[in-house]
Amino acid sequence: MKSLAELQALRDCTLDKLNLRKDRKEGIRIVVGMATCGIAAGARPVLEALEREVKAQKLDNVMVMQTGCIGMCRLEPIVEVYEPGKEKITYVHMTADKVSKIVSEHIINGRPVAEYSVGTDKAQSVNDTVFYAKQKRVALRNCGVINPENIDEYIAFDGYQALAKALTEMSREDVIQTVKDSGLRGRGGGGFPTGMKWDFTYKAVGDKKYVCCNADEGDPGAFMDRSVLEGDPHAVIEAMAIAGYAVGADQGYIYIRAEYPIAVERLKIAIGQAREYGLLGKDIFGTGFNFDLDIRLGAGAFVCGEETALLTSIEGNRGEPRPRPPFPAVKGLWGKPTLLNNVETYANIAQIILNGADWFASMGTEKSKGTKVFALGGKINNTGLVEIPMGTTLREIIEEIGGGIPNGKKFKAAQTGGPSGGCIPASLIDTPIDYDSLMAIGSMMGSGGLIVMDEDNCMVDIAKFFLEFTVDESCGKCSPCRIGTKRLLEILTKITDGKGTMEDLDKLENLCYAIKSSALCGLGQTAPNPVLSTLRYFRDEYEAHVKDKKCPAHVCKALAQYKINPEKCKGCSLCARQCPVNAISGEIKSPFVIDQDKCIKCGACQSTCKFGAIDKE
Amino acid sequence: MSIATIPFKGTKEQEEKLREVIKKHTGENGAVIPVLHEAQDIYGYLPIEVQKIISEGLNVPLAEIYGIVTFYTQFSLYPKGEYEVSVCLGTACYVKGSGTIIEKIKERLGIDVGQCTADGKFSLNATRCIGACGLAPVMTVNDAVFGQVTPADLDDIFAKYQA
C-alpha cells in the first residue's frame, strides 16, 4: 500500500464485491456472530449449515460471512440478513435446523421468518429493540458488521483511512493535539487523559520508543476488549500505528491474555494481512514511517493488567509491578519510553482522527467524553455488550437497555470496576455513569464490567468473593497487599461463619484504609474497595451477620437454618433417614422437626423432601 | 497417589521440537514466556526436566525459569487429565451459581481443584472469567464450552466424556 488512492480503490472494490454497499441494487449478505459467546452457544454448525444450503440452492448472489460480537449474548447464536434497500433482519437462538426454512422463505422468496427473528410479532432488526435504542457505537462500530478475518472489509468501512490521514496530512503534534482535544480518557479503568500520555511519551528522550496495548483483560465479568479484538482487530492495529507515528516509536507489542484463544488467532491473522498490504512494516504509505507489531501472550496473572507489571511480563519476567515514578512514558519497556493504552482506548482513535476532536467531545459529559462499552452481566435480562454515551444513568442501563431483573426480583446493587471497584446500591440508581460520578460514590469506572445483583445476593459474600480473588492474585511483592488482603479475607470469613463481632467491623475498615495508603501498585491500593463500598452501603447486612447471626439473603451457609414446615410435612421420615448426623426426628405421619444444634446445614434433607416442606432461612 | 510422583515420559520427538522452539526464540528479548507457552503445548505441562532444557537452551538460570512458571497460573507443573474440566468463577458466573457447580463436580470426580483423577481422565480447574459472561454460569471441557449450566446438566455433560 503506497498511497491513499490505492486504499480508496480497494475500498470501493470491496464494497461492491462483498455486498457491503448500503445503496447497492442486489446481493444478499448473511452474517453469523462468531465471537466466543456465539461459538459457545453453537454458532459454528449454523454457519456451516448456511454455507451448505446457499451452495446447494446455487444462490450466487448471497454471501455468508462470519462476524464478531453482535452484542446480545442472551440470544446467541445470532444471524443477520442484509438485503438491498431493506432494514436488516436479526434471527436469534439459531440452530442448524432453522437454516433451511430461512433460506427458502426469506432468502429465496423474500418473506422474512418472523417466528425466528428478534421481533415478537413481525420480523425485525436488533436495531429496533430497546437494547439498541440508547446505544451509540464508536469503539464497537465494526463488531458484528464486518468479517474480522478479512482486512478488505475493514478497509471498506474506512479502515486505515485515519492512518493515511495522520501520516500524509497531519504533523505528529497535530495528532497528539487532536487526541488531547477529544477529551478521550483511558478506558482500562484509571481514566487518565490519553492525549497527555501520548504527549509525555512524545516528549520523553530516548533512542528507541515502544507502543504497547494492554489486552490483559483480567477483571472477572468484563469482556469488552475481547469483543473488540474478536470483532475488529484492525481497529487496534491501526490506532497503534497512529500512536507509533505520534510518539516516535517503530515497534509495538500487544499483550493479550492466553485465555482468549480466538482473539489471539484473529489478531495474528490481522497483523499478517496488515503486513502483506504494507500497512505495517517499512515505509508505510510511502512516507518513510516504519512500524511493526508483535503479540505477547499473558499467562494468567491478574496483576499483569497493571502497567508496570505488564511491561515486566513482556520483558519475560515474573509480572511484578514496580514503583512509579518513573512512569512508563519516561522509562518503560527495557528502560525506554513506552506508551501503554488499553484495547478500547485504541478502538476510539481512528474515529477521532477521521471525524475530529469536536465530534468526539460532543458525546458524553463535561469531563468524561465519548462512549463507554460495558459488559452487562449477572442478574439482568439482556446480558450482553453495550456501548453508551458517558453520562447515561445506571437506571437507563438496567431498566431500559438491560430489560430489568429476571424472575420479578428486586434490584439490589450493581458492581463496577471488578475487584478494584465497588457496589452502587439501588438508592443511587440515578447516578450518571462517568469517571467522576462513580469515583464520588466509592466505585470506579473500571474497565467496564457491570454485574447486576438482586435480593438473593449477599453483599458480605460478594465482598468475600472479591477478596478471595485478590488474595489469590496478589503477586506478593509488597506486604500490605500480600498480608493485608489475607487478613481482610479472614475477618470476612469469620463474619460469614457467624463468628464476627462488632469490633471486627471496625478492624475491617481500619485495615482497608491502611492497605489503600500503603500498597505498592494500583491493584493493592484498590483491593479493599469492594469491602469499603459494601460496608458503606450495606452495613446493615454486615450487622445482621454479626448481631443476629443471620444472612438476610440466605447465602452464607453457616448462618442458614433449615426448618420443616409442619403444614406441608407428611411425616414420611425420608429426610430423617437421609440426615447424616441424625438431627431430624419425629413420628411417622406427623410433622418432623430438625434439631438446630445438631444440624450441619448440608441441605440433604431439603433436596430429598418430595413435598417441598423444608425451607432454608 | 501423589501427583508429583508421575514419572516424566517425554519423548525424543518432543525434545527435538522443544529445541527447535528454543532456537527460534534465541536472541529475542523476553523470550522465556513465549518459549514456556510453546513448551507446554508440546508436553502438556512443564516438569522440571523440561524447565532444565529451556534453562540451558536460553542460558537463563533454572531458578528464574521456575520462578516464572510458578508465578503464572497458566503454567502447570503437573500433567493435566485427558479432559480438562474448568468451571468459571468469574463474578458473573459466581452470582449465577457457579460455586455450586464446582462443588458438585468435586463430589462427582472425588478430586479437588487443581487435581487429576487417578485414571488420568479428568482434571479440574477453577478459572477466572473466560469472557462468556452472557452465558453464565459457564464451564468448559477441553475446548468445548457449556453455558447456563445447572447441577442437573452435569450428568449429560459428563456422559459425553465417560464412554
mmCIF file with all atom_site columns, all heavy atoms in Angstrom, chain A residues 559-576:
data_model
loop_
_atom_site.group_PDB
_atom_site.id
_atom_site.type_symbol
_atom_site.label_atom_id
_atom_site.label_alt_id
_atom_site.label_comp_id
_atom_site.label_asym_id
_atom_site.label_entity_id
_atom_site.label_seq_id
_atom_site.pdbx_PDB_ins_code
_atom_site.Cartn_x
_atom_site.Cartn_y
_atom_site.Cartn_z
_atom_site.occupancy
_atom_site.B_iso_or_equiv
_atom_site.pdbx_formal_charge
_atom_site.auth_seq_id
_atom_site.auth_comp_id
_atom_site.auth_asym_id
_atom_site.auth_atom_id
_atom_site.pdbx_PDB_model_num
ATOM 1   N N   . LEU A 1 559 ? -24.815 -19.712 58.352 1.00 0.00 ? 559 LEU A N   1
ATOM 2   C CA  . LEU A 1 559 ? -25.858 -18.985 59.066 1.00 0.00 ? 559 LEU A CA  1
ATOM 3   C C   . LEU A 1 559 ? -27.255 -19.446 58.667 1.00 0.00 ? 559 LEU A C   1
ATOM 4   O O   . LEU A 1 559 ? -28.249 -18.959 59.182 1.00 0.00 ? 559 LEU A O   1
ATOM 5   C CB  . LEU A 1 559 ? -25.730 -17.483 58.800 1.00 0.00 ? 559 LEU A CB  1
ATOM 6   C CG  . LEU A 1 559 ? -24.431 -16.856 59.304 1.00 0.00 ? 559 LEU A CG  1
ATOM 7   C CD1 . LEU A 1 559 ? -24.352 -15.411 58.894 1.00 0.00 ? 559 LEU A CD1 1
ATOM 8   C CD2 . LEU A 1 559 ? -24.334 -16.994 60.801 1.00 0.00 ? 559 LEU A CD2 1
ATOM 9   N N   . ALA A 1 560 ? -27.312 -20.380 57.754 1.00 0.00 ? 560 ALA A N   1
ATOM 10  C CA  . ALA A 1 560 ? -28.627 -20.826 57.286 1.00 0.00 ? 560 ALA A CA  1
ATOM 11  C C   . ALA A 1 560 ? -29.277 -21.719 58.338 1.00 0.00 ? 560 ALA A C   1
ATOM 12  O O   . ALA A 1 560 ? -28.596 -22.371 59.134 1.00 0.00 ? 560 ALA A O   1
ATOM 13  C CB  . ALA A 1 560 ? -28.466 -21.585 55.984 1.00 0.00 ? 560 ALA A CB  1
ATOM 14  N N   . GLN A 1 561 ? -30.584 -21.720 58.341 1.00 0.00 ? 561 GLN A N   1
ATOM 15  C CA  . GLN A 1 561 ? -31.307 -22.664 59.202 1.00 0.00 ? 561 GLN A CA  1
ATOM 16  C C   . GLN A 1 561 ? -32.306 -23.390 58.338 1.00 0.00 ? 561 GLN A C   1
ATOM 17  O O   . GLN A 1 561 ? -33.087 -22.779 57.618 1.00 0.00 ? 561 GLN A O   1
ATOM 18  C CB  . GLN A 1 561 ? -32.042 -21.908 60.304 1.00 0.00 ? 561 GLN A CB  1
ATOM 19  C CG  . GLN A 1 561 ? -31.149 -21.581 61.475 1.00 0.00 ? 561 GLN A CG  1
ATOM 20  C CD  . GLN A 1 561 ? -31.949 -21.280 62.730 1.00 0.00 ? 561 GLN A CD  1
ATOM 21  O OE1 . GLN A 1 561 ? -33.161 -21.092 62.685 1.00 0.00 ? 561 GLN A OE1 1
ATOM 22  N NE2 . GLN A 1 561 ? -31.273 -21.249 63.856 1.00 0.00 ? 561 GLN A NE2 1
ATOM 23  N N   . TYR A 1 562 ? -32.269 -24.706 58.406 1.00 0.00 ? 562 TYR A N   1
ATOM 24  C CA  . TYR A 1 562 ? -33.276 -25.482 57.689 1.00 0.00 ? 562 TYR A CA  1
ATOM 25  C C   . TYR A 1 562 ? -34.415 -25.754 58.655 1.00 0.00 ? 562 TYR A C   1
ATOM 26  O O   . TYR A 1 562 ? -34.196 -26.170 59.803 1.00 0.00 ? 562 TYR A O   1
ATOM 27  C CB  . TYR A 1 562 ? -32.663 -26.785 57.180 1.00 0.00 ? 562 TYR A CB  1
ATOM 28  C CG  . TYR A 1 562 ? -31.733 -26.545 56.012 1.00 0.00 ? 562 TYR A CG  1
ATOM 29  C CD1 . TYR A 1 562 ? -30.374 -26.338 56.211 1.00 0.00 ? 562 TYR A CD1 1
ATOM 30  C CD2 . TYR A 1 562 ? -32.242 -26.491 54.714 1.00 0.00 ? 562 TYR A CD2 1
ATOM 31  C CE1 . TYR A 1 562 ? -29.532 -26.082 55.143 1.00 0.00 ? 562 TYR A CE1 1
ATOM 32  C CE2 . TYR A 1 562 ? -31.390 -26.243 53.638 1.00 0.00 ? 562 TYR A CE2 1
ATOM 33  C CZ  . TYR A 1 562 ? -30.048 -26.043 53.852 1.00 0.00 ? 562 TYR A CZ  1
ATOM 34  O OH  . TYR A 1 562 ? -29.219 -25.798 52.793 1.00 0.00 ? 562 TYR A OH  1
ATOM 35  N N   . LYS A 1 563 ? -35.634 -25.489 58.182 1.00 0.00 ? 563 LYS A N   1
ATOM 36  C CA  . LYS A 1 563 ? -36.790 -25.729 59.050 1.00 0.00 ? 563 LYS A CA  1
ATOM 37  C C   . LYS A 1 563 ? -37.843 -26.515 58.291 1.00 0.00 ? 563 LYS A C   1
ATOM 38  O O   . LYS A 1 563 ? -38.025 -26.325 57.085 1.00 0.00 ? 563 LYS A O   1
ATOM 39  C CB  . LYS A 1 563 ? -37.371 -24.394 59.516 1.00 0.00 ? 563 LYS A CB  1
ATOM 40  C CG  . LYS A 1 563 ? -36.546 -23.784 60.635 1.00 0.00 ? 563 LYS A CG  1
ATOM 41  C CD  . LYS A 1 563 ? -37.254 -22.625 61.284 1.00 0.00 ? 563 LYS A CD  1
ATOM 42  C CE  . LYS A 1 563 ? -36.396 -22.082 62.432 1.00 0.00 ? 563 LYS A CE  1
ATOM 43  N NZ  . LYS A 1 563 ? -36.646 -20.671 62.678 1.00 0.00 ? 563 LYS A NZ  1
ATOM 44  N N   . ILE A 1 564 ? -38.553 -27.361 59.018 1.00 0.00 ? 564 ILE A N   1
ATOM 45  C CA  . ILE A 1 564 ? -39.602 -28.144 58.374 1.00 0.00 ? 564 ILE A CA  1
ATOM 46  C C   . ILE A 1 564 ? -40.941 -27.435 58.584 1.00 0.00 ? 564 ILE A C   1
ATOM 47  O O   . ILE A 1 564 ? -41.300 -27.073 59.708 1.00 0.00 ? 564 ILE A O   1
ATOM 48  C CB  . ILE A 1 564 ? -39.648 -29.571 58.956 1.00 0.00 ? 564 ILE A CB  1
ATOM 49  C CG1 . ILE A 1 564 ? -38.321 -30.282 58.651 1.00 0.00 ? 564 ILE A CG1 1
ATOM 50  C CG2 . ILE A 1 564 ? -40.829 -30.348 58.385 1.00 0.00 ? 564 ILE A CG2 1
ATOM 51  C CD1 . ILE A 1 564 ? -38.188 -31.655 59.251 1.00 0.00 ? 564 ILE A CD1 1
ATOM 52  N N   . ASN A 1 565 ? -41.625 -27.216 57.482 1.00 0.00 ? 565 ASN A N   1
ATOM 53  C CA  . ASN A 1 565 ? -42.933 -26.570 57.548 1.00 0.00 ? 565 ASN A CA  1
ATOM 54  C C   . ASN A 1 565 ? -43.964 -27.634 57.945 1.00 0.00 ? 565 ASN A C   1
ATOM 55  O O   . ASN A 1 565 ? -44.247 -28.549 57.168 1.00 0.00 ? 565 ASN A O   1
ATOM 56  C CB  . ASN A 1 565 ? -43.232 -25.981 56.163 1.00 0.00 ? 565 ASN A CB  1
ATOM 57  C CG  . ASN A 1 565 ? -44.563 -25.281 56.121 1.00 0.00 ? 565 ASN A CG  1
ATOM 58  O OD1 . ASN A 1 565 ? -45.424 -25.499 56.981 1.00 0.00 ? 565 ASN A OD1 1
ATOM 59  N ND2 . ASN A 1 565 ? -44.744 -24.443 55.107 1.00 0.00 ? 565 ASN A ND2 1
ATOM 60  N N   . PRO A 1 566 ? -44.524 -27.529 59.169 1.00 0.00 ? 566 PRO A N   1
ATOM 61  C CA  . PRO A 1 566 ? -45.406 -28.604 59.669 1.00 0.00 ? 566 PRO A CA  1
ATOM 62  C C   . PRO A 1 566 ? -46.667 -28.768 58.812 1.00 0.00 ? 566 PRO A C   1
ATOM 63  O O   . PRO A 1 566 ? -47.256 -29.847 58.774 1.00 0.00 ? 566 PRO A O   1
ATOM 64  C CB  . PRO A 1 566 ? -45.755 -28.153 61.082 1.00 0.00 ? 566 PRO A CB  1
ATOM 65  C CG  . PRO A 1 566 ? -45.368 -26.716 61.183 1.00 0.00 ? 566 PRO A CG  1
ATOM 66  C CD  . PRO A 1 566 ? -44.357 -26.436 60.126 1.00 0.00 ? 566 PRO A CD  1
ATOM 67  N N   . GLU A 1 567 ? -47.049 -27.710 58.095 1.00 0.00 ? 567 GLU A N   1
ATOM 68  C CA  . GLU A 1 567 ? -48.258 -27.839 57.283 1.00 0.00 ? 567 GLU A CA  1
ATOM 69  C C   . GLU A 1 567 ? -48.026 -28.660 56.016 1.00 0.00 ? 567 GLU A C   1
ATOM 70  O O   . GLU A 1 567 ? -48.930 -29.301 55.512 1.00 0.00 ? 567 GLU A O   1
ATOM 71  C CB  . GLU A 1 567 ? -48.769 -26.442 56.899 1.00 0.00 ? 567 GLU A CB  1
ATOM 72  C CG  . GLU A 1 567 ? -49.601 -25.854 58.023 1.00 0.00 ? 567 GLU A CG  1
ATOM 73  C CD  . GLU A 1 567 ? -49.804 -24.362 57.855 1.00 0.00 ? 567 GLU A CD  1
ATOM 74  O OE1 . GLU A 1 567 ? -49.831 -23.879 56.708 1.00 0.00 ? 567 GLU A OE1 1
ATOM 75  O OE2 . GLU A 1 567 ? -49.918 -23.698 58.901 1.00 0.00 ? 567 GLU A OE2 1
ATOM 76  N N   . LYS A 1 568 ? -46.795 -28.622 55.534 1.00 0.00 ? 568 LYS A N   1
ATOM 77  C CA  . LYS A 1 568 ? -46.509 -29.373 54.308 1.00 0.00 ? 568 LYS A CA  1
ATOM 78  C C   . LYS A 1 568 ? -45.966 -30.766 54.597 1.00 0.00 ? 568 LYS A C   1
ATOM 79  O O   . LYS A 1 568 ? -46.023 -31.649 53.757 1.00 0.00 ? 568 LYS A O   1
ATOM 80  C CB  . LYS A 1 568 ? -45.492 -28.607 53.447 1.00 0.00 ? 568 LYS A CB  1
ATOM 81  C CG  . LYS A 1 568 ? -46.078 -27.401 52.729 1.00 0.00 ? 568 LYS A CG  1
ATOM 82  C CD  . LYS A 1 568 ? -45.033 -26.861 51.769 1.00 0.00 ? 568 LYS A CD  1
ATOM 83  C CE  . LYS A 1 568 ? -45.490 -25.571 51.096 1.00 0.00 ? 568 LYS A CE  1
ATOM 84  N NZ  . LYS A 1 568 ? -44.368 -24.887 50.456 1.00 0.00 ? 568 LYS A NZ  1
ATOM 85  N N   . CYS A 1 569 ? -45.359 -30.938 55.765 1.00 0.00 ? 569 CYS A N   1
ATOM 86  C CA  . CYS A 1 569 ? -44.711 -32.207 56.088 1.00 0.00 ? 569 CYS A CA  1
ATOM 87  C C   . CYS A 1 569 ? -45.744 -33.318 56.235 1.00 0.00 ? 569 CYS A C   1
ATOM 88  O O   . CYS A 1 569 ? -46.744 -33.162 56.924 1.00 0.00 ? 569 CYS A O   1
ATOM 89  C CB  . CYS A 1 569 ? -43.905 -32.074 57.387 1.00 0.00 ? 569 CYS A CB  1
ATOM 90  S SG  . CYS A 1 569 ? -43.103 -33.614 57.865 1.00 0.00 ? 569 CYS A SG  1
ATOM 91  N N   . LYS A 1 570 ? -45.497 -34.437 55.511 1.00 0.00 ? 570 LYS A N   1
ATOM 92  C CA  . LYS A 1 570 ? -46.432 -35.567 55.576 1.00 0.00 ? 570 LYS A CA  1
ATOM 93  C C   . LYS A 1 570 ? -45.968 -36.614 56.593 1.00 0.00 ? 570 LYS A C   1
ATOM 94  O O   . LYS A 1 570 ? -46.608 -37.643 56.762 1.00 0.00 ? 570 LYS A O   1
ATOM 95  C CB  . LYS A 1 570 ? -46.531 -36.244 54.198 1.00 0.00 ? 570 LYS A CB  1
ATOM 96  C CG  . LYS A 1 570 ? -46.858 -35.304 53.077 1.00 0.00 ? 570 LYS A CG  1
ATOM 97  C CD  . LYS A 1 570 ? -48.348 -35.106 52.930 1.00 0.00 ? 570 LYS A CD  1
ATOM 98  C CE  . LYS A 1 570 ? -48.615 -34.315 51.658 1.00 0.00 ? 570 LYS A CE  1
ATOM 99  N NZ  . LYS A 1 570 ? -49.698 -33.349 51.811 1.00 0.00 ? 570 LYS A NZ  1
ATOM 100 N N   . GLY A 1 571 ? -44.800 -36.379 57.192 1.00 0.00 ? 571 GLY A N   1
ATOM 101 C CA  . GLY A 1 571 ? -44.290 -37.328 58.172 1.00 0.00 ? 571 GLY A CA  1
ATOM 102 C C   . GLY A 1 571 ? -43.824 -38.631 57.554 1.00 0.00 ? 571 GLY A C   1
ATOM 103 O O   . GLY A 1 571 ? -44.002 -39.703 58.090 1.00 0.00 ? 571 GLY A O   1
ATOM 104 N N   . CYS A 1 572 ? -43.169 -38.542 56.379 1.00 0.00 ? 572 CYS A N   1
ATOM 105 C CA  . CYS A 1 572 ? -42.756 -39.763 55.684 1.00 0.00 ? 572 CYS A CA  1
ATOM 106 C C   . CYS A 1 572 ? -41.425 -40.312 56.201 1.00 0.00 ? 572 CYS A C   1
ATOM 107 O O   . CYS A 1 572 ? -41.046 -41.425 55.893 1.00 0.00 ? 572 CYS A O   1
ATOM 108 C CB  . CYS A 1 572 ? -42.671 -39.528 54.178 1.00 0.00 ? 572 CYS A CB  1
ATOM 109 S SG  . CYS A 1 572 ? -41.251 -38.517 53.698 1.00 0.00 ? 572 CYS A SG  1
ATOM 110 N N   . SER A 1 573 ? -40.676 -39.481 56.920 1.00 0.00 ? 573 SER A N   1
ATOM 111 C CA  . SER A 1 573 ? -39.383 -39.846 57.533 1.00 0.00 ? 573 SER A CA  1
ATOM 112 C C   . SER A 1 573 ? -38.219 -39.955 56.558 1.00 0.00 ? 573 SER A C   1
ATOM 113 O O   . SER A 1 573 ? -37.120 -40.327 56.955 1.00 0.00 ? 573 SER A O   1
ATOM 114 C CB  . SER A 1 573 ? -39.487 -41.151 58.355 1.00 0.00 ? 573 SER A CB  1
ATOM 115 O OG  . SER A 1 573 ? -39.328 -42.291 57.505 1.00 0.00 ? 573 SER A OG  1
ATOM 116 N N   . LEU A 1 574 ? -38.445 -39.640 55.288 1.00 0.00 ? 574 LEU A N   1
ATOM 117 C CA  . LEU A 1 574 ? -37.373 -39.740 54.296 1.00 0.00 ? 574 LEU A CA  1
ATOM 118 C C   . LEU A 1 574 ? -36.181 -38.858 54.681 1.00 0.00 ? 574 LEU A C   1
ATOM 119 O O   . LEU A 1 574 ? -35.030 -39.283 54.630 1.00 0.00 ? 574 LEU A O   1
ATOM 120 C CB  . LEU A 1 574 ? -37.919 -39.327 52.916 1.00 0.00 ? 574 LEU A CB  1
ATOM 121 C CG  . LEU A 1 574 ? -36.981 -39.561 51.731 1.00 0.00 ? 574 LEU A CG  1
ATOM 122 C CD1 . LEU A 1 574 ? -36.630 -41.043 51.621 1.00 0.00 ? 574 LEU A CD1 1
ATOM 123 C CD2 . LEU A 1 574 ? -37.610 -39.091 50.428 1.00 0.00 ? 574 LEU A CD2 1
ATOM 124 N N   . CYS A 1 575 ? -36.475 -37.612 55.100 1.00 0.00 ? 575 CYS A N   1
ATOM 125 C CA  . CYS A 1 575 ? -35.405 -36.681 55.443 1.00 0.00 ? 575 CYS A CA  1
ATOM 126 C C   . CYS A 1 575 ? -34.614 -37.184 56.645 1.00 0.00 ? 575 CYS A C   1
ATOM 127 O O   . CYS A 1 575 ? -33.394 -37.099 56.687 1.00 0.00 ? 575 CYS A O   1
ATOM 128 C CB  . CYS A 1 575 ? -35.965 -35.288 55.705 1.00 0.00 ? 575 CYS A CB  1
ATOM 129 S SG  . CYS A 1 575 ? -37.194 -35.214 57.012 1.00 0.00 ? 575 CYS A SG  1
ATOM 130 N N   . ALA A 1 576 ? -35.320 -37.757 57.608 1.00 0.00 ? 576 ALA A N   1
ATOM 131 C CA  . ALA A 1 576 ? -34.638 -38.242 58.816 1.00 0.00 ? 576 ALA A CA  1
ATOM 132 C C   . ALA A 1 576 ? -33.667 -39.352 58.463 1.00 0.00 ? 576 ALA A C   1
ATOM 133 O O   . ALA A 1 576 ? -32.567 -39.443 59.010 1.00 0.00 ? 576 ALA A O   1
ATOM 134 C CB  . ALA A 1 576 ? -35.671 -38.745 59.829 1.00 0.00 ? 576 ALA A CB  1
#
